[in-house]
Amino acid sequence: MIAENEIYSSRILEAPVRRVYQAFAQPQHLRNWWGPEGFTNTIHEFDLRPEGKWVLTMHGPEKGNYENESVFTDVQPEKLVAWKRLSQPLFNMEVHFKKIDEKNTEIAFRMIFKSVSECEKIKSFAVPKNEENFDRLEKELSFVII
């Protein structure tokens, strides 16, 4: 069940769970698909372990650089990566990886806000942008070698 202070997006991808996880776990792939269509990323730090930091700059397609800083709270390879954002907007993020079968994986984003009002402020923007994120991931998967 999805709480009122959460945004949940998911997609089934035609790729084994290991490939989907590696697309996230390897910064050289993550930078290519993270964020909405048209964004590029500079990853400054990516220490994929509990208490490890993830620091990146998202570069908007027209203008603007968006600094992001997070700390990983849970890392379960091929199952879950969770972090707490230290930069605005503040929320906790979970990325779930679920093996459907040998060739298909479900990926899910769960964004957890402190309040319903904080969630509502970005929900109308985040839901379609998460779909763009999944579109970009699907394209990147063909470049991930496992």
Side-chain angles (χ1 to χ4, degrees), residues 64-118:
N65 293 312
Y66 306 91
E67 304 302 328
N68 289 263
E69 185 174 349
S70 301
V71 63
F72 292 108
T73 56
D74 194 357
V75 178
Q76 300 172 36
E78 301 181 16
K79 294 189 186 317
L80 171 70
V81 177
W83 63 90
K84 176 181 180 178
R85 284 183 52 93
L86 304 176
S87 51
Q88 294 288 337
L90 298 176
F91 58 89
N92 292 337
M93 179 75 171
E94 296 177 354
V95 178
H96 295 265
F97 304 86
K98 181 180 176 186
K99 177 181 177 178
I100 303 297
D101 57 35
E102 295 304 317
K103 295 182 180 180
N104 295 283
T105 302
E106 180 181 39
I107 187 168
F109 291 173
R110 185 170 170 236
M111 305 164 74
I112 308 155
F113 296 83
K114 287 186 179 179
S115 70
V116 173
S117 63
E118 288 178 37

Side-chain angles (χ1 to χ4, degrees), residues 34-80:
W34 189 254
E37 187 63 40
F39 275 73
T40 59
N41 298 290
T42 302
I43 297 177
H44 307 287
E45 187 174 350
F46 187 77
D47 186 7
L48 187 59
R49 63 177 179 82
E51 304 297 321
K53 280 195 166 185
W54 181 15
V55 181
L56 75 149
T57 303
M58 297 178 76
H59 309 284
E62 281 117 38
K63 62 179 182 174
N65 293 312
Y66 306 91
E67 304 302 328
N68 289 263
E69 185 174 349
S70 301
V71 63
F72 292 108
T73 56
D74 194 357
V75 178
Q76 300 172 36
E78 301 181 16
K79 294 189 186 317
L80 171 70

